[in-house]
Amino acid sequence: MGFWTLFEVASMPILQVLIISVLGAFMATDHCKLLSADTRRSLNKLVFVVFTPSLMFASLAKTVTLQDIISWWFMPVNIGITFLVGGIVGWIVVKILRPKPHLEGLIIATCSSGNLGNLLLIVVPAVCNEDGSPFGNRNVCSSVGLSYASFSMALGGFYVWTITYQMVKTSAVKFKALEAAEDLASKEPNKNLDATAESHLLKGKGHQEQVAITAATKSVVDPEKQLQNVSQETGPNEKGQASFWIKVVRFLHQILEELMAPPTLGAILGFIFGATTWLRNLIIGEGAPLRVIQDSIKLLGDGTIPCITLILGANLIQGLRSSAIKPLIIVGVVCVRYVILPAVGIWIVKAAGNLGFLPPDPLFHYVLMIQFTVPPAMNIGTMTQLFDVGQEECSVLFLWTYLAAALALTTWSTVFMWILT
């Protein structure tokens, strides 16, 4: 496959995203007024609760079997490495560039969380269907590649709706705390006549921030209220003994809460139905007695990608008018996603292959490498909308990372294929 042919193949999915995003941006303008802020927020909740879980269940139940899950065991490890390396480098970017506190989680999330779902569902089969593809018969390649992409999407959903979700939620806590601190600063005059003006300001600010952070945390992380009350009721002598178990229970409660998020729950059910033969035969196949359920769920899932992409474009209108995020942060995120992570991906996949951890299929190796090269997960935009934090900054980051993805994906795809052949 020639460079320019590969360039065309790799660019088409990104161009599709950009075209639909432009439509979403137009729908959000004052001229059209179809995607207002309230409408986007409601649509995001619908995507979160209905569309995304349906997409994940339908794809996994149909394409992933128990044997596949066992033989592809390295893929969740590979995705975990992308999140780990991206998160570490993103944390370094945050420490160097010092963005606003409530944007730290968003920046680390965009560095660590890649679009492991819908882009792979388009890119991998497209590469297989091109003449001169190094991955063998196009029909077999396309079918197997679709299974790889669906498995990647489900695993990515687990990571995104647990790790990334927590990052964005932490940003929301900080954002609500800052807002509450500003409100308190404007509403609470300092009445201590014996203190100096400087001590008034310093003491008042510290007290207000503490109150604000506590209130913001409670408003965003409501499930922890009960555990906090248990801790307060514990006596002085019992606190030391019970603190460890309170932390353990709190941690397990938080993990359970994240796993019960609708997208993650949809992925779990998809794994169960795909891996269990008799459940799979109930809904999958022309002769399945309950195939109408699978068809209905798939129909709902098909709305996920268009809705997320339209919302992404609609958010760009607000983001393009904002200068709240530093240009150096944009450069840092782009470098992490398209320079550092792909280079690490080549080394990781080659090392795993040499150690015998990977199946011999070169297409599987290609998918693992591509997972290090994709732009940020579009679900991050959904999360910022859900928590009402960093929408403008997220839109600006997405604009530049997805524009850069057209060239980056094409270039790295060429390198990956050259290495594998």
Side-chain angles (χ1 to χ4, degrees):
M1 183 184 293
F3 176 82
W4 291 111
T5 302
L6 179 61
F7 181 88
E8 180 181 356
V9 171
S11 297
M12 287 304 162
I14 303 299
L15 290 176
Q16 291 176 9
V17 171
L18 293 177
I19 290 171
I20 299 175
S21 297
V22 170
L23 176 61
F26 173 73
M27 294 170 66
T29 59
D30 294 337
H31 177 74
C32 199
K33 296 181 180 179
L34 288 178
L35 283 178
S36 63
D38 291 337
T39 303
R40 295 198 300 272
R41 191 174 296 108
S42 299
L43 185 57
N44 260 303
K45 292 179 180 178
L46 192 62
V47 169
F48 176 73
V49 175
V50 179
F51 291 163
T52 302
S54 299
L55 177 65
M56 302 188 79
F57 176 88
S59 298
L60 285 172
K62 183 177 181 180
T63 60
V64 179
T65 65
L66 179 60
Q67 184 178 358
D68 293 333
I69 295 174
I70 295 173
S71 61
W72 302 342
W73 68 269
F74 189 78
M75 187 177 288
V77 177
N78 190 71
I79 295 175
I81 294 173
T82 68
F83 274 74
L84 177 62
V85 176
I88 292 173
V89 181
W91 178 80
I92 295 173
V93 170
V94 165
K95 293 303 178 182
I96 293 175
L97 299 181
R98 298 184 179 278
K100 296 179 180 179
H102 70 280
L103 297 178
E104 293 177 358
L106 172 63
I107 294 169
I108 297 175
T110 53
C111 288
S112 62
S113 310
N115 190 336
L116 302 172
N118 53 327
L119 276 183
L120 292 182
L121 288 173
I122 301 172
V123 170
V124 176
V127 171
C128 290
N129 290 327
E130 284 297 321
D131 295 332
S133 170
F135 302 123
N137 181 275
R138 65 173 61 188
N139 293 328
V140 175
C141 174
S142 181
S143 177
V144 174
L146 183 62
S147 297
Y148 291 157
S150 298
F151 194 44
S152 173
M153 177 180 65
L155 294 172
F158 274 114
Y159 284 94
V160 167
W161 290 106
T162 52
I163 298 174
T164 307
Y165 184 83
Q166 185 62 35
M167 290 180 185
V168 178
K169 185 161 69 173
T170 301
S171 294
V173 170
K174 292 182 179 180
F175 181 68
K176 301 300 182 184
L178 291 173
E179 282 189 334
E182 292 176 358
D183 291 341
L184 288 172
S186 61
K187 295 179 180 178
E188 292 186 4
N190 195 337
K191 299 180 180 179
N192 187 352
L193 301 178
D194 295 330
T196 63
E198 183 178 359
S199 65
H200 283 319
L201 293 174
L202 291 176
K203 183 177 179 180
K205 181 179 179 181
H207 174 70
Q208 291 160 4
E209 288 182 351
Q210 181 63 38
V211 173
I213 292 174
T214 302
T217 303
K218 288 182 179 180
S219 65
V220 177
V221 195
D222 289 333
E224 294 187 359
K225 286 182 178 180
Q226 184 176 358
L227 292 173
Q228 291 172 354
N229 293 334
V230 171
S231 176
Q232 291 174 357
E233 293 172 359
T234 305
N237 296 330
E238 298 175 351
K239 282 185 178 179
Q241 300 175 357
S243 60
F244 172 76
W245 293 109
I246 291 175
K247 291 179 181 179
V248 170
V249 172
R250 184 176 301 170
F251 173 77
L252 294 176
H253 187 278
Q254 186 65 35
I255 292 296
L256 180 62
E257 183 189 57
E258 305 300 349
L259 289 178
M260 292 304 292
T264 308
L265 194 58
I268 293 174
L269 292 176
F271 276 127
I272 293 173
F273 273 77
T276 308
T277 304
W278 69 272
L279 288 176
R280 181 186 179 91
N281 292 336
L282 282 176
I283 62 173
I284 304 297
E286 295 182 358
L290 300 179
R291 63 184 181 277
V292 66
I293 295 178
Q294 169 71 1
D295 294 339
S296 301
I297 294 175
K298 183 180 182 300
L299 187 63
L300 286 172
D302 290 341
T304 305
I305 296 172
C307 288
I308 290 177
T309 312
L310 285 172
I311 294 169
L312 171 65
N315 288 336
L316 289 178
I317 292 295
Q318 188 177 10
L320 288 174
R321 297 171 181 171
S322 173
S323 59
I325 192 165
K326 300 177 182 177
L328 283 178
I329 294 177
I330 299 174
V331 174
V333 173
V334 170
C335 288
V336 171
R337 293 234 59 95
Y338 302 130
V339 179
I340 298 176
L341 282 178
V344 172
I346 292 175
W347 183 84
I348 292 293
V349 175
K350 291 183 67 176
N354 293 335
L355 292 173
F357 293 160
L358 307 181
D361 185 5
L363 180 61
F364 186 75
H365 297 211
Y366 173 78
V367 171
L368 294 181
M369 291 181 179
I370 284 291
Q371 288 174 342
F372 284 89
T373 318
V374 290
M378 286 194 291
N379 284 327
I380 298 174
T382 301
M383 295 173 190
T384 60
Q385 200 81 32
L386 287 172
F387 289 113
D388 195 21
V389 58
Q391 297 100 312
E392 296 180 4
E393 294 83 357
C394 181
S395 299
V396 175
L397 287 173
F398 273 36
L399 172 66
W400 292 106
T401 52
Y402 273 81
L403 286 175
L407 179 60
L409 272 176
T410 301
T411 304
W412 282 110
S413 293
T414 306
V415 173
F416 297 155
M417 290 185 183
W418 178 76
I419 292 174
L420 294 172
T421 55

